[in-house]
Amino acid sequence: MKKLFLLTLLCSSFSCLAVDVIVNPANTSTLDENEIKQIFIGKSKSFSDGSKALPITQADGSAVTDEFNEKVLNKSSSQLKAYWSKLVFTGKGTPPKEAADDAEVLKLVASNPNLIGFVSSGAADGSVKVVKSF
């Protein structure tokens, strides 16, 4: 009982949410953490096999989005918003499209081999392929 209490206390003090990065099962590219980051910040527009890479995020402020931004992009939501505002203003980039939740990301990624997205760990099903967990 004490261990469970301590684990609960730790999870409330630090984020215990895990995030899975997903692609369409037809996508044969291998992706490391840096490649995923480059795609989601708009610095890379293709997968390692040369096919087009289109990132999709979830609603700003959601727990999974905040976790992805911190763990993968090393930016807070406000830092990421400022980053994209600058790129949009200068005409050098467009932020990723946004989905409402895990279910919408799963549906979109399953239907398009060019999409890459993220969902809460454990949300992925057989319609997508998990390429990296954070």
Side-chain angles (χ1 to χ4, degrees):
M1 186 68 173
K2 243 182 190 178
K3 287 181 183 179
L4 182 59
F5 174 75
L6 289 174
L7 182 60
T8 304
L9 184 63
L10 273 174
C11 284
S12 63
S13 301
F14 303 101
S15 179
C16 287
L17 182 66
V19 178
D20 289 337
V21 176
I22 59 169
V23 296
N24 186 286
N27 186 324
T28 59
S29 297
T30 56
L31 296 165
D32 64 25
E33 186 172 343
N34 187 56
E35 290 167 316
I36 293 167
K37 179 179 179 176
Q38 296 302 306
I39 290 169
F40 277 91
I41 62 171
K43 295 203 180 221
S44 179
K45 306 265 188 232
S46 60
F47 291 110
S48 61
D49 67 358
S51 62
K52 190 173 187 177
L54 301 170
I56 185 160
T57 65
Q58 293 198 36
D60 193 32
S62 73
V64 69
T65 299
D66 290 344
E67 194 69 12
F68 178 82
N69 292 346
E70 293 285 337
K71 285 183 176 176
V72 181
L73 306 181
N74 301 314
K75 295 183 184 299
S76 68
S77 290
S78 59
Q79 289 172 320
L80 198 57
K81 190 174 232 172
Y83 171 82
W84 282 113
S85 292
K86 180 181 174 185
L87 289 180
V88 168
F89 181 73
T90 59
K92 294 182 180 176
T94 305
K97 298 290 182 204
E98 192 175 282
D101 54 24
D102 285 347
E104 187 176 1
V105 172
L106 289 168
K107 181 180 171 188
L108 291 169
V109 171
S111 67
N112 187 335
N114 294 323
L115 289 178
I116 179 172
F118 58 86
V119 294
S120 305
S121 185
D125 56 25
S127 67
V128 297
K129 178 171 70 172
V130 175
V131 292
K132 190 84 171 155
S133 296
F134 296 93

